Amino acid sequence: MKKPIKILISSAIIAGAVVAGYFGWKFVNSVPTLEEEFAEDTRIQPITREGDAITSAATSTAADEGPRISVLSDKEAFSAWVTTDVGAVYYISTDGKIYQADEGEDKLLLGQGVDNLISAKPSARGRRVLASFGDPNAPQWAVYDVVDGFWRPLSEDIREATFGKNEEEIYAITRNGGDLNLVRIDFSRNPYVTSIILKDFRFYDVLLAWYGSDKLLVQERPSANLNVRAWAFDVKKKKMSVLEAGQKGLMIRPLSESDYDLKFVSESGFGLFNKAGDEVAPVLFNTLPNKCTGLGGYVYCFAPTEIPDNIKLPDDYLMGRFRSEDDLYAVDGLSGDADPAPIWRSGEDRAPKIDAYLPTYYKSNLYFINKYDNLVYRMRVGR
């Protein structure tokens, strides 16, 4: 049964996400193929716990007195996202099944689960999610389409991949013997068509993300113990430019709905930058890029209330050795203003403890997975 706090969602819902899992050869062959506003009143309606359930507090203020926080999913989620055309929430459960968050019980869309999820990258519109799973050293990749309800396996030689400017194109690093190539996959055609953009792509163990303006973000995996580098690759001019020559713990997350980059460096902490590399607003808190989101001029960040001295970021958080208790901050990138005080505090006034992961902003609401219970949450931050 649905937890008592679960509310009906109709048009505004979640995206955000990261996911994947282990298909295995048997699984791959068994899968069907297809194919805002910022409110001055930021008080959160108090909520309480009763047993394992989270429910609206009977003694809370009136329902129309401000934003509220609520749980959307029945099951623990590995990744969640929203379709912007019809406003539906989807998530992949921790056992690899796909659900739609709905009134009453969540709707099971695909009951064949997968194991060893590694990553998930939803498209901007939320119709598709690009997932990896299985052996991290030789992952399987597939695309799930929420409209058709099918997984579509990709080539077994893919090592890393991301959506491009839309959900009809995918950029991937493939291995051909001992060589790595950068390829473009035209997903608008069935079967899809792969073309090589750059042969002998000598970037090993890197992550890809769409950087906008016909560019890919290519960054080494973050580690506080290594000097991490990042580049921007122009897919039309086939030209690579250096973004960061090497900083320990470097993480960059471009915001698809704005011109800002979220950046973390172990030594200097978190910052908000434009594409020219200039800091656009003072940030008086420290957090990681995967705990922030934004749209237009506003950026919202969940930031740990305390980071112990023995915690090494980003490693300890990414490896699950550190669980934060977050406050929520807002930054106006257009004016350069940043409120030094949080607009919401985790665990205060009977509010739940929140460790928010990969939040997304959609129609005055934030959607995220809370690592304390792995459920999908919604927090209203505007009217």
Side-chain angles (χ1 to χ4, degrees), residues 74-113:
D74 289 337
K75 311 293 184 181
E76 294 185 7
F78 180 82
S79 178
W81 65 97
V82 61
T83 56
T84 58
D85 51 355
V86 296
V89 175
Y90 298 90
Y91 66 93
I92 303 179
S93 63
T94 52
D95 59 358
K97 299 177 182 179
I98 295 182
Y99 292 85
Q100 179 181 352
D102 207 345
E103 180 182 7
E105 292 187 7
D106 290 345
K107 183 179 180 181
L108 177 63
L109 300 180
L110 189 62
Q112 182 178 6

Side-chain angles (χ1 to χ4, degrees), residues 222-225 288 307-308 310-324 355 371:
S223 172
N225 300 314
L288 296 175
I307 302 175
N310 64 335
I311 294 300
K312 185 178 292 187
L313 294 178
D315 305 50
D316 286 344
Y317 186 81
L318 296 177
M319 297 299 293
R321 296 188 291 261
F322 170 59
R323 179 175 291 171
S324 64
D355 179 358
K371 285 199 168 185

Side-chain angles (χ1 to χ4, degrees), residues 12-16 72 80-83 88-90 360 362 367-368 376-377:
I13 14 202
I14 173 166
L72 300 182
W81 65 97
V82 61
T83 56
V89 175
Y90 298 90
T360 187
Y362 183 73
Y367 300 89
F368 56 90
V376 181
Y377 280 62

Side-chain angles (χ1 to χ4, degrees), residues 107-379:
K107 183 179 180 181
L108 177 63
L109 300 180
L110 189 62
Q112 182 178 6
V114 295
D115 300 321
N116 299 335
L117 295 165
I118 301 171
S119 69
K121 302 179 182 182
S123 62
R125 290 200 310 149
R127 173 178 171 174
R128 292 171 176 156
V129 61
L130 174 64
S132 65
F133 38 86
D135 182 357
N137 296 316
Q140 295 285 319
W141 288 83
V143 175
Y144 179 78
D145 191 306
V146 300
V147 175
D148 298 306
F150 292 100
W151 284 104
R152 187 173 176 184
L154 298 179
S155 172
E156 292 183 353
D157 60 2
I158 293 177
R159 294 297 174 262
E160 169 63 5
T162 189
F163 284 112
K165 61 185 177 182
N166 56 52
E167 59 197 11
E168 301 294 346
E169 67 174 11
I170 294 172
Y171 290 92
I173 299 173
T174 62
R175 179 178 292 277
N176 181 14
D179 298 327
L180 295 177
N181 298 324
L182 180 66
V183 305
R184 179 184 181 273
I185 300 173
D186 183 353
F187 218 69
S188 66
R189 303 172 67 177
N190 191 10
Y192 60 79
V193 176
T194 301
S195 57
I196 296 177
I197 296 178
L198 190 65
K199 292 184 177 180
D200 197 17
F201 191 73
R202 298 183 182 182
F203 292 85
Y204 298 88
D205 201 22
V206 294
L207 302 172
L208 299 179
W210 186 246
Y211 202 51
S213 301
D214 297 319
K215 292 180 181 179
L216 278 173
L217 173 64
V218 182
Q219 57 183 326
E220 294 174 323
R221 294 184 184 275
S223 172
N225 300 314
L226 300 174
N227 286 320
V228 181
R229 298 169 295 176
W231 303 264
F233 179 75
D234 192 309
V235 297
K236 288 189 174 181
K237 298 179 180 179
K238 299 182 180 180
K239 180 180 179 181
M240 186 79 75
S241 57
V242 176
L243 295 178
E244 293 287 347
Q247 297 198 66
K248 289 185 176 180
L250 175 69
M251 294 179 69
I252 299 176
R253 185 187 181 195
L255 291 177
S256 60
E257 300 299 328
S258 76
D259 294 326
Y260 302 139
D261 291 339
L262 307 172
K263 184 169 73 173
F264 174 84
V265 175
S266 295
E267 196 170 290
S268 57
F270 175 81
L272 178 65
F273 297 82
N274 59 26
K275 295 298 183 184
D278 303 317
E279 191 167 16
V280 299
V283 176
L284 305 178
F285 54 86
N286 195 19
T287 190
L288 296 175
N290 53 16
K291 298 177 76 67
C292 300
T293 188
L295 181 69
Y298 272 108
V299 174
Y300 294 95
C301 285
F302 289 91
T305 58
E306 181 182 6
I307 302 175
D309 293 338
N310 64 335
I311 294 300
K312 185 178 292 187
L313 294 178
D315 305 50
D316 286 344
Y317 186 81
L318 296 177
M319 297 299 293
R321 296 188 291 261
F322 170 59
R323 179 175 291 171
S324 64
E325 185 174 333
D326 298 338
D327 293 339
L328 178 64
Y329 293 83
V331 180
D332 186 344
L334 296 178
S335 67
D337 294 334
D339 193 335
I343 63 174
W344 181 83
R345 293 184 182 274
S346 182
E348 188 174 272
D349 294 330
R350 294 181 293 164
K353 292 183 179 180
I354 296 295
D355 179 358
Y357 184 67
L358 286 177
T360 187
Y361 180 90
Y362 183 73
K363 290 190 176 180
S364 301
N365 292 279
L366 297 174
Y367 300 89
F368 56 90
I369 293 175
N370 183 4
K371 285 199 168 185
Y372 279 101
D373 55 19
N374 290 321
L375 298 177
V376 181
Y377 280 62
R378 179 181 70 176
M379 179 184 290

Side-chain angles (χ1 to χ4, degrees), residues 26-88:
K26 179 178 180 180
F27 177 77
V28 170
N29 283 277
S30 65
V31 189
T33 58
L34 83 211
E35 242 227 290
E36 294 178 12
E37 312 123 344
F38 183 70
E40 293 182 1
D41 184 357
T42 55
R43 289 174 294 169
I44 302 298
Q45 181 179 357
I47 61 181
T48 61
R49 285 188 179 271
E50 295 181 2
D52 292 331
I54 302 177
T55 60
S56 298
T59 58
S60 65
T61 56
D64 59 352
E65 283 191 13
R68 288 175 287 178
I69 184 171
S70 50
V71 180
L72 300 182
S73 65
D74 289 337
K75 311 293 184 181
E76 294 185 7
F78 180 82
S79 178
W81 65 97
V82 61
T83 56
T84 58
D85 51 355
V86 296

